Amino acid sequence: MKKLNKVVSGLCMAMLALLMLTGCEGSELYKVGAPDWLESKLDSIANARTPDAGLYNIGSTALNSPFWTLGKSHVVPAGGKLEMLVDLTVNPDNKYYKNFYVVITNDVSINPRGSGYFEYGVMRFDNDLTKNSEWGTDDKTMFTAEDRAANISANFTNSSGADDIDPTVQNMNGLVMVTVDRADGGLKITMEGEKCTKTYTHAVLETHNLEPTNENIRITLGVEGSFVNVIESNIDPVDDSKDSEPVRMTLKGVSDEYLIGTTIEEIMANVTAEVDFGEGGIKTIDGKKLTVDIVPDMTTLGAKTLVAAYNKTAKGEIAKKPVMAIKGFSLVKELSAFEQTVVVPTPLSIGAEDCSTPFWGDHTANIKVEPKETKVVNFTNYTSGGANWNNFLVVLCKDNNVEYAVLRADNFGWGDGYAACTPIGGFGPDEAAWVAWLKAMNGAKVTAYITNVGDGTANVKAVMYGTDGKTYTQEYIGINTVDPENFYFRFTVDGSHLVFDKEVGAQDCSTPFWGAHSTNVKIAPHTVCTFNFTNYSSCGANWNNFLAVLCKENNAEYAVLRADNFGWGDGYAACTPIGGFGPDEAAWAAWLKAMNGAKVTVQVTNIGDGTANVKAVMYGTDGNTYTQEYNGINTIDPDDFYARFTVDGSYLVFE
């Protein structure tokens, strides 16, 4: 920790500042009971407004630093407490968000982001209840809408209009005590200034996916258009300044097919690389900065290999040894076009609730899969826990129930078609892993993909989100003996119980924005995925209907699209929305009324080149058909593209 020399004049100035501060409205920062380390550092308060005093600075004194200008990190162990005294200078333009924020992450280098980096949430000093004064990276982390309402408190409220200007932000200026307290397995974050105090309190850290609670977390302060001088801290900052060599690289955005005549430059325009620098973290590198070659050539049809190299360190210096990655693709005359449809089997559940139904004791109806089509089913799996096979089974068959294959959840199956397939998954002879998996399958959320390749083969993939928080995947690739024109599937049980997902939100449309979600569905490149459902609305406003969320597997968003010609996100910014009624309030009112009970078909297309299109056809209760399109959504990794639905004062019933 930085040692400060105590001098008589400094101490006198500090005591004078202390007396002045205790007279400020709302100030309890330096009352009796302040931390011992702070009471012994009163001379640092006197020097607080000297930029070269203290531990370190964050941002430019010109107050023009962009968002995500970060300081050093402080590691807070379980049961520990971080106490920091900072001097904040806010921007005179009075934009409510130009102050500072606290970033909560796992104990991995944050700048650059290290391997395994996970961001739990960000809490900013402002308190505008209508805007994003705190946020989490997804709905499983901190600062959901419910979390904010229940656990954020402040003695001030910013009230900024569409211009984001609020003169009261000047009250944030000055000394602020930042406290992060992890006592008793919970988390309390306090930002206490002379006039403005904001607190987040949560008793059980585990509810926010910070598990286990005995792990370290990192706290990092950041600024936007402001300046912070970190004067003192009871926990020394960590040093992330050491440079690191690249150790591995993964290519993102390379499609599995390109049309003959496509150039290397056109391919690389949508490619990025994730470069792992070990202790230096993981960085995303623009494809244009890679050295690339195509083997064997770009002039003939068939299989090709893209070979890429990157030769810089984490800090941009020349690396001792370049890191390389390869990705295969095909040059074709015509891009493959696959259909994908999300379906709900009948009946909506099979097997007794106590999981007593024996093998083959209950079945869903058969569902047909057309050539070059994938059917997607979401359900919850419950098991008796007796053995690995006491879970769901997928039966592939003809319309007369003659079987191609029967596939279990646990890396096993039978039938002529199964004999030639390649099962991917399972734990081999590891009995402990199988025991943990079986336990996690009781209540697991499952997404199953059944694909009719169209050439006499089929593939089945099950993604199982266990109750232990882990994701398990089982695939059966190359099932043969299939008649592509006569291909069906159904589900059965064996000491298990299946409940198929159908509804999102409360039936009375009381679920608030982002309050309920369907399961993420992966959409492969060159694939159109269709969702059919009935939309019910509280009819309070145009946005009280369905929303489509386009995202990565980790829920990082490309775009969020509403039913009413509006959306947000980096991918949305470049798209062309088609639909809506402009300023015609009467037309919007009629549309909103017709949406309560409207039959909706939403098609999400993964173009395969880093863009996506979404089209919603809404068959209103007034007998009219309404169409909303979002074309050219970009920033998409075609190999990591998912879609789900959420609500806002609405209720969805899938078909």
Side-chain angles (χ1 to χ4, degrees):
M1 183 183 298
K2 180 179 174 68
K3 304 299 182 182
L4 299 176
N5 296 321
K6 293 188 176 181
V7 293
V8 175
S9 60
L11 183 59
C12 291
M13 290 176 64
M15 294 305 295
L16 178 60
L18 179 61
L19 293 172
M20 293 175 64
L21 287 172
T22 54
C24 293
E25 180 182 356
S27 175
E28 298 181 348
L29 181 56
Y30 306 111
K31 65 182 180 182
V32 175
D36 293 341
W37 68 270
L38 179 57
E39 292 181 356
S40 68
K41 301 294 184 181
L42 289 177
D43 54 344
S44 67
I45 298 176
N47 296 320
R49 295 195 176 277
T50 304
D52 58 353
L55 291 175
Y56 57 89
N57 298 328
I58 311 172
S60 166
T61 55
L63 305 181
N64 59 2
S65 296
F67 175 69
W68 215 248
T69 299
L70 301 174
K72 299 180 181 180
S73 296
H74 301 256
V75 177
V76 186
K81 185 176 182 180
L82 170 66
E83 297 167 322
M84 302 174 66
L85 178 64
V86 307
D87 185 20
L88 169 65
T89 303
V90 299
N91 202 296
D93 67 5
N94 290 326
K95 293 293 180 71
Y96 79 98
Y97 53 82
K98 290 187 178 179
N99 50 82
F100 80 99
Y101 43 88
V102 176
V103 184
I104 308 102
T105 69
N106 58 341
D107 189 9
V108 171
S109 175
I110 182 172
N111 196 5
R113 296 179 178 184
S115 178
Y117 171 87
F118 188 86
E119 183 181 303
Y120 299 116
V122 182
M123 176 174 166
R124 211 166 47 208
F125 193 31
D126 52 83
N127 189 44
D128 192 320
L129 302 181
T130 67
K131 297 180 180 176
N132 58 333
S133 294
E134 50 276 329
W135 62 91
T137 54
D138 59 52
D139 61 350
K140 294 182 181 179
T141 55
M142 302 170 66
F143 308 132
T144 62
E146 294 83 356
D147 187 23
R148 295 175 69 191
N151 300 314
I152 294 286
S153 61
N155 68 350
F156 67 102
T157 300
N158 302 118
S159 181
S160 56
D163 58 3
D164 294 331
I165 293 176
D166 178 11
T168 65
V169 300
Q170 296 302 316
N171 291 333
M172 301 175 190
N173 259 323
L175 298 172
V176 182
M177 173 67 78
V178 179
T179 305
V180 179
D181 191 348
R182 298 189 64 194
D184 302 321
L187 178 67
K188 182 175 182 179
I189 304 174
T190 304
M191 305 166 164
E192 188 174 8
E194 297 176 32
K195 296 183 179 180
C196 300
T197 297
K198 181 176 179 179
T199 302
Y200 170 79
T201 306
H202 206 292
V204 184
L205 214 55
E206 293 166 299
T207 61
H208 290 301
N209 208 23
L210 284 127
E211 301 182 55
T213 53
N214 61 358
E215 289 188 353
N216 294 337
I217 62 174
R218 282 201 185 200
I219 299 298
T220 309
L221 302 190
V223 301
E224 178 178 5
S226 59
F227 175 75
V228 163
N229 175 216
V230 179
I231 301 167
E232 280 293 348
S233 170
N234 69 321
I235 297 178
D236 291 329
V238 296
D239 183 9
D240 288 329
S241 61
K242 187 173 70 171
D243 202 0
S244 300
E245 292 285 317
V247 293
R248 65 181 60 87
M249 180 169 69
T250 303
L251 296 175
K252 300 289 185 179
V254 181
S255 184
D256 56 347
E257 291 181 344
Y258 293 97
L259 289 173
I260 188 74
T262 302
T263 66
I264 296 178
E265 291 73 21
E266 289 171 334
I267 292 175
M268 299 307 296
N270 296 302
V271 173
T272 59
E274 285 189 356
V275 180
D276 187 346
F277 295 95
E279 293 183 358
I282 295 177
K283 285 186 177 182
T284 299
I285 306 299
D286 191 302
K288 300 181 183 67
K289 297 181 180 180
L290 306 177
T291 301
V292 298
D293 193 13
I294 306 295
V295 180
D297 57 58
M298 286 290 288
T299 59
T300 59
L301 296 171
K304 310 295 176 183
T305 301
L306 188 154
V307 182
Y310 184 72
N311 68 338
K312 298 291 183 65
T313 66
K315 289 191 171 184
E317 303 296 330
I318 299 298
K320 296 177 181 177
K321 181 180 179 181
V323 65
M324 301 185 70
I326 62 173
K327 190 68 180 288
F329 65 91
S330 295
L331 283 180
V332 296
K333 290 182 179 179
E334 183 178 353
L335 296 177
S336 300
F338 274 81
E339 297 290 332
Q340 188 169 300
T341 308
V342 177
V343 295
V344 181
T346 55
L348 292 178
S349 66
I350 57 173
E353 291 187 8
D354 63 359
C355 297
S356 61
T357 303
F359 172 69
W360 221 253
D362 201 0
H363 297 255
T364 65
N366 285 340
I367 297 174
K368 186 173 185 179
V369 188
E370 300 289 351
K372 290 194 173 182
E373 183 185 31
T374 297
K375 286 292 202 302
V376 183
V377 181
N378 294 310
F379 60 94
T380 304
N381 178 92
Y382 299 94
T383 174
S384 64
N388 292 342
W389 51 83
N390 294 136
N391 290 287
F392 69 89
L393 299 94
V394 182
V395 182
L396 308 183
C397 60
K398 296 182 178 182
D399 58 357
N400 62 0
N401 287 324
V402 172
E403 294 166 11
Y404 298 118
V406 180
L407 311 167
R408 293 195 326 209
D410 65 335
N411 201 47
F412 187 74
W414 57 86
D416 291 343
Y418 173 80
C421 85
T422 303
I424 302 173
F427 308 105
D430 189 339
E431 291 188 13
W434 279 115
V435 169
W437 172 82
L438 180 58
K439 183 179 179 181
M441 286 298 289
N442 190 30
K445 296 292 185 180
V446 182
T447 300
Y449 301 81
I450 298 89
T451 301
N452 180 350
V453 180
D455 61 358
T457 66
N459 302 324
V460 173
K461 178 179 180 180
V463 181
M464 298 161 276
Y465 304 96
T467 56
D468 58 357
K470 296 180 180 179
T471 300
Y472 303 91
T473 301
Q474 178 61 53
E475 295 186 68
Y476 298 93
I477 307 297
I479 301 160
N480 66 6
T481 74
V482 169
D483 178 353
E485 303 297 333
N486 189 4
F487 181 69
Y488 293 76
F489 75 94
R490 68 180 185 274
F491 287 87
T492 187
V493 294
D494 182 1
S496 52
H497 171 57
L498 311 183
V499 179
F500 297 98
D501 296 352
K502 186 175 183 180
E503 303 175 355
V504 178
Q507 292 185 11
D508 63 359
C509 297
S510 62
T511 304
F513 171 69
W514 221 251
H517 297 256
S518 66
T519 304
N520 281 343
V521 173
K522 184 171 185 178
I523 306 174
H526 318 302
T527 299
V528 179
C529 186
T530 301
F531 303 81
N532 295 296
F533 56 90
T534 303
N535 178 92
Y536 297 93
S537 171
S538 64
C539 294
N542 291 343
W543 50 83
N544 294 137
N545 290 288
F546 70 87
L547 300 94
V549 183
L550 308 184
C551 60
K552 295 184 177 182
E553 184 179 14
N554 64 3
N555 286 322
E557 293 165 13
Y558 299 118
V560 180
L561 311 168
R562 292 195 327 211
D564 65 335
N565 200 46
F566 186 75
W568 57 87
D570 291 343
Y572 172 81
C575 85
T576 303
I578 303 172
F581 307 106
D584 189 338
E585 293 187 11
W588 278 118
W591 171 84
L592 179 58
K593 183 178 180 180
M595 285 297 290
N596 188 27
K599 298 291 185 180
V600 181
T601 296
V602 176
Q603 291 185 321
V604 181
T605 304
N606 181 350
I607 305 298
D609 63 355
T611 66
N613 298 331
V614 175
K615 180 178 181 179
V617 180
M618 299 159 274
Y619 303 95
T621 56
D622 58 357
N624 293 325
T625 299
Y626 303 91
T627 302
Q628 178 62 53
E629 297 184 62
Y630 299 94
N631 295 323
I633 301 160
N634 65 5
T635 72
I636 286 170
D637 178 350
D639 295 317
D640 190 6
F641 182 64
Y642 291 75
R644 71 176 186 274
F645 288 84
T646 185
V647 294
D648 182 0
S650 52
Y651 165 60
L652 312 181
V653 180
F654 288 84
E655 300 172 359

